[in-house]
Amino acid sequence: MRINELHEELIALHGEPSAVQSDDGVRQLVTTILSQNVADIQTSRAAANLFTTYDSYEEIEHAPQDELAEVISQVGLMNQKSERIQNALSKIREEVDGGYSLEFLRETETGTAKDWLTEIKGIGPKTASVVLNFHFDKPVFAVDTHVERLSKRFGFVDESLSPERVHEEMNEIVPDDNKYSLHVLMITHGREYCTAQSPDCQNPVCERFCGCEHC
């Protein structure tokens, strides 16, 4: 399959990604909400400030929303994200009778688990997939802006597709065993070479797979 060839070429260029599984599914979810549409360094700063300001998820859920927004102000859309975080914590607490854990999703079928997460306002397929793949090692392929861009430029999906449709089609194409590593590798390649503006196409992967106007 061509997608397997891409995976091999990306490993040859960037190296095999380390397998990292988060220790806390709720923290993974909160951090992924913070990361929506912002750089990693902003996410890291906001997450560090959030988890040093509050001692528990209960405090985060019940904090005044304007206060919480200020705590995470390093990220964009801080008001929306503070609301999303509190909505998520509220739903988790209600599901597990007062606690804050996503472990009930571990034995839940992947599609059902994804549906449960995406029912929370502000949590889309990408955020849900990151949590399910990174924390639970479930076979879902998360599609962020880098992955979407490369999927289209490399001809795996049609340029006209919405992010939701790209997510659906790439999950069908990417083998389960490669979903985590290919996600990480495509993000790395999108940041280092196949950027949105002024991409550097002088690399073996783009030379072989990319059909964008810059190649």
Side-chain angles (χ1 to χ4, degrees):
M1 289 175 62
R2 189 165 171 264
I3 196 73
N4 290 335
E5 294 173 2
L6 172 64
H7 186 238
E8 292 172 3
E9 292 284 348
L10 285 169
I11 289 174
L13 181 62
H14 299 289
E16 185 84 49
S18 299
V20 178
Q21 191 171 16
S22 64
D23 296 326
D24 181 344
V26 178
R27 186 171 180 133
Q28 178 72 67
L29 176 58
V30 171
T31 303
T32 306
I33 292 171
L34 290 174
S35 75
Q36 294 168 347
N37 303 308
V38 298
D40 286 349
I41 189 168
Q42 293 170 284
T43 302
S44 296
R45 288 172 178 169
N49 200 32
L50 176 65
F51 293 118
T52 55
T53 300
Y54 300 106
D55 293 328
S56 66
Y57 293 123
E58 182 178 15
E59 287 187 14
I60 295 173
E61 182 192 352
H62 297 292
Q65 191 179 337
D66 57 346
E67 176 189 284
L68 178 58
E70 185 61 31
V71 168
I72 62 169
S73 61
Q74 293 92 340
V75 297
L77 303 174
M78 60 186 191
N79 291 313
Q80 289 185 21
K81 290 179 181 179
S82 61
E83 181 179 3
R84 290 171 184 176
I85 288 168
Q86 291 183 321
N87 285 341
L89 292 175
S90 176
K91 177 145 189 204
I92 293 167
R93 176 177 49 77
E94 291 170 0
E95 183 71 26
V96 296
D97 296 325
Y100 295 92
S101 172
L102 287 175
E103 282 305 297
F104 68 92
L105 294 178
R106 188 171 295 280
E107 303 304 322
T108 304
E109 187 272 328
T110 300
T112 303
K114 187 175 174 184
D115 288 343
W116 189 89
L117 287 168
T118 54
E119 285 175 2
I120 301 171
K121 184 178 179 181
I123 295 180
K126 178 256 183 179
T127 298
S129 295
V130 167
V131 173
L132 294 174
N133 188 239
F134 282 45
H135 182 67
F136 296 106
D137 197 29
K138 289 183 180 289
V140 285
F141 185 68
V143 175
D144 74 342
T145 55
H146 297 291
V147 175
E148 179 184 354
R149 181 172 66 255
L150 269 63
S151 298
K152 291 179 176 180
R153 285 182 176 174
F154 291 0
F156 291 103
V157 298
D158 191 87
E159 284 278 352
S160 65
L161 292 186
S162 67
E164 290 75 16
R165 287 291 298 146
V166 174
H167 181 90
E168 292 172 8
E169 294 205 8
M170 289 302 290
N171 265 277
E172 291 290 328
I173 294 170
V174 179
D176 288 350
D177 289 347
N178 295 341
K179 279 183 163 65
Y180 170 78
S181 59
L182 188 60
H183 167 80
V184 174
L185 287 164
M186 290 181 78
I187 289 176
T188 300
H189 195 72
R191 288 172 175 164
E192 295 184 9
Y193 291 103
C194 201
T195 57
Q197 303 296 327
S198 302
D200 175 6
C201 298
Q202 301 305 307
N203 65 86
V205 173
C206 286
E207 288 171 1
R208 179 173 179 186
F209 291 94
C210 192
C212 80
E213 61 184 6
H214 303 281
C215 288

